[in-house]
Amino acid sequence: MSETVGQVKDVEAAEKALKFFKVMAFVVGIGLLLLVLEIVLHYGFSNDALAWWPQPHGFIYMVYLVATANLGFKMGWSLGRMVLVMLAGVVPFLSFWAERKVAAEVEGQLATARR
């Protein structure tokens, strides 16, 4: 996921976008694990205790898409890069890994831009 980008024009806005992205990546990761649990309970045990969860999860995922696009535009990512990071939110545990990788890379770019 590493690529060279142009210079960040607004470091403060990019830092806020990164914070929003990090929170949403974590929330989506937890939400996706709950969704997997809901599927296992529903199809494996005929238990609908979490039957209400898919719709809120879908809304949360859309907010994650906005957070990713916001960060991507502020950092000058390509559309392909943004889509790959967005897709990380649909694979259990991948959003946690992607968040750490993206955050480390963006923090490094922001530190360079501050100089």
Side-chain angles (χ1 to χ4, degrees):
M1 284 192 195
S2 181
E3 68 180 43
T4 306
V5 296
Q7 191 159 14
V8 178
K9 292 182 173 89
D10 189 348
V11 174
E12 187 176 317
E15 287 172 340
K16 289 179 183 176
L18 177 61
K19 184 178 284 189
F20 181 44
F21 168 79
K22 289 169 74 172
V23 168
M24 288 313 303
F26 180 77
V27 170
V28 163
I30 297 297
L32 187 57
L33 294 176
L34 279 173
L35 185 63
V36 169
L37 178 61
E38 188 274 331
I39 291 168
V40 168
L41 288 174
H42 179 76
Y43 291 105
F45 301 100
S46 297
N47 182 331
D48 289 332
L50 290 174
W52 57 273
W53 180 244
Q55 190 171 9
H57 170 72
F59 175 74
I60 291 167
Y61 181 71
M62 288 190 295
V63 176
Y64 170 75
L65 296 179
V66 170
T68 303
N70 183 39
L71 179 61
F73 288 128
K74 297 221 180 340
M75 296 304 297
W77 293 348
S78 68
L79 181 60
R81 169 100 190 259
M82 280 191 253
V83 169
L84 285 175
V85 176
M86 289 172 179
L87 288 174
V90 300
V91 179
F93 299 106
L94 188 58
S95 65
F96 299 116
W97 177 82
E99 183 272 328
R100 292 303 332 140
K101 184 169 176 52
V102 167
E105 184 177 310
V106 169
E107 286 166 353
Q109 291 171 341
L110 292 176
T112 301
R114 276 189 219 102
R115 291 186 224 168

